[in-house]
Amino acid sequence: MVAVGVFVAVRAVGVVVVAVCAWWSGKDPVAVLGASWDSVWYIGIAEQGYGRTQVWPEIGSVQSDLAFFPLYPGLMRAVCALLPWVGPAGAGLLVAWGAAVAGAVGVYRVGELVAGARAGLLLVVVWGVLPHSVVLGIAYTEALLAALAAWALYAVLRERWLWAAALAVLAGLTRPTGIAVAAAVSVAALYELLLKPRAPLRVWAAGLLAPAGWAAHLLAVGIRRGDPLGGYFAVQRDWGSYFDFGRGVAGSVARVLAGRTQLVTAVVPVVIVVALVLAVLLARGWAPLPLLVYCGTLLVITLGGAGFFESKPRFLLPAFPLLLPVAAAMARARPRTAVAVTVALAGLSYGYGTYLLISAPLPL
């Protein structure tokens, strides 16, 4: 498939650029790609299970690994069992890279179904050359969530309800924003039932089962913390992450506009504005309901949550349907225009992605 070949080529170049720059700066490329920031927490869970807590008395923060969902470290553990010589960091990279490729296929299928084969190809390409697409090549969960989301949305659009529900359950075990996949499946099932009250039982099952993975992790963490319904949210609050209806994001944007700040912080408001504009374009009557619900839920969670302001762009990386208006416009343009836009975005992606992993003063 041309789309997958282009995606793999684009992202492979990005990984090589980061690896070479890491080596040039005296850093271990595998550590930069597979054992930085959140990856360290996933490695700990994969090796020893849950139970690690990091205390920061100077800022009053208590960070527990219970904030992290189990599917990704579970897959890392499985890879280590099959290929013990790769190590946990290597296993995390193999899972992320495999998920990114599977996600590219799913993104293409969704784009092809909604806007045609040419737009599907360009959707994959643009997704692969976003400024923050470097995250698709490191040991983080965004690639895995994007893959599960893409195939779940494709299954919903093709009315394969049980497949959609199963993938939504797995997405809910991947990261907190996995609930966006469940929301898309459940709302689509509800809409189907409103249109067809005598819809098959599998539609009911999909709507009810889709949130099960996300709910299971929250309940398990809550029971472990002695508060079944609130324990997980207490863990997140200890990390400084909670839903504040966007007050934290608004305050951070105001600080960026008020004066000088780090590049990694200054870029975030730009990404937010672009995402909101694309969401409006997507909602102008032609995008299927599941895509709107999925992207809308991701936007609400990401922009309505406090903490980790610099991470907001990577939280939005799985929201690939937002790029459909761009892909559709490029599909209508001349081929050389699409090529020029792709090359420009790829150069920006390689440069900015390398900065994020090698030089940025704040965690990604």
Side-chain angles (χ1 to χ4, degrees):
M1 185 186 295
V2 176
V4 177
V6 174
F7 176 83
V8 170
V10 167
R11 290 311 334 140
V13 171
V15 169
V16 170
V17 169
V18 171
V20 170
C21 290
W23 174 80
W24 187 264
S25 63
K27 298 180 180 180
D28 179 5
V30 175
V32 170
L33 292 166
S36 297
W37 302 307
D38 286 3
S39 300
V40 174
W41 289 91
Y42 288 119
I43 288 172
I45 297 169
E47 289 185 317
Q48 302 172 4
Y50 286 97
R52 177 189 171 195
T53 299
Q54 179 72 51
V55 180
W56 304 91
E58 63 274 13
I59 60 174
S61 177
V62 180
Q63 298 176 343
S64 168
D65 59 10
L66 293 173
F68 296 91
F69 282 54
L71 182 60
Y72 183 63
L75 293 173
M76 291 171 61
R77 189 181 302 115
V79 171
C80 284
L82 293 172
L83 305 171
W85 50 271
V86 303
L93 288 175
L94 289 178
V95 173
W97 293 346
V101 174
V105 180
V107 169
Y108 171 77
R109 291 299 185 193
V110 172
E112 179 189 38
L113 193 62
V114 173
R118 181 173 170 81
L121 168 63
L122 291 168
L123 178 63
V124 173
V125 172
V126 174
W127 185 58
V129 295
L130 290 175
H132 288 79
S133 61
V134 67
V135 175
L136 299 174
I138 66 177
Y140 270 36
T141 56
E142 275 72 20
L144 181 58
L145 177 60
L148 294 168
W151 284 107
L153 292 171
Y154 179 74
V156 168
L157 294 175
R158 296 297 301 271
E159 298 186 354
R160 296 172 180 172
W161 295 103
L162 295 183
W163 274 109
L167 291 164
V169 169
L170 293 176
L173 292 170
T174 301
R175 56 178 297 107
T177 48
I179 190 61
V181 183
V185 174
S186 294
V187 171
L190 176 61
Y191 184 71
E192 181 76 4
L193 291 169
L194 290 175
L195 291 179
K196 305 173 184 176
R198 296 182 179 274
L201 183 60
R202 59 180 176 271
V203 180
W204 285 93
L208 294 173
L209 292 176
W214 185 82
H217 181 68
L218 266 64
L219 184 60
V221 172
I223 292 172
R224 184 163 179 165
R225 292 291 296 261
D227 181 2
L229 298 181
Y232 173 79
F233 299 103
V235 169
Q236 286 284 14
R237 281 194 298 273
D238 289 340
W239 274 82
S241 180
Y242 54 91
F243 196 81
D244 68 348
F245 298 92
R247 287 191 295 271
V249 168
S252 296
V253 171
R255 286 190 290 273
V256 170
L257 297 176
R260 297 176 60 186
T261 186
Q262 300 287 349
L263 176 62
V264 66
T265 305
V267 167
V268 180
V270 178
V271 173
I272 291 173
V273 170
V274 171
L276 291 174
V277 170
L278 292 176
V280 171
L281 294 176
L282 187 69
R284 290 182 63 182
W286 64 275
L289 178 64
L291 304 189
L292 296 177
V293 174
Y294 171 66
C295 291
T297 306
L298 273 178
L299 283 167
V300 169
I301 294 173
T302 301
L303 303 184
F308 305 104
F309 182 67
E310 289 73 21
S311 298
K312 300 297 183 183
R314 76 169 172 89
F315 293 167
L316 290 174
L317 190 60
F320 68 89
L322 290 177
L323 301 171
L324 273 168
V326 177
M330 290 174 66
R332 294 190 296 270
R334 294 178 179 179
R336 63 184 181 184
T337 301
V339 171
V341 171
T342 299
V343 171
L345 284 174
L348 175 61
S349 175
Y350 297 152
Y352 188 67
T354 302
Y355 160 75
L356 286 176
L357 294 185
I358 306 296
S359 305
L362 296 168
L364 177 62

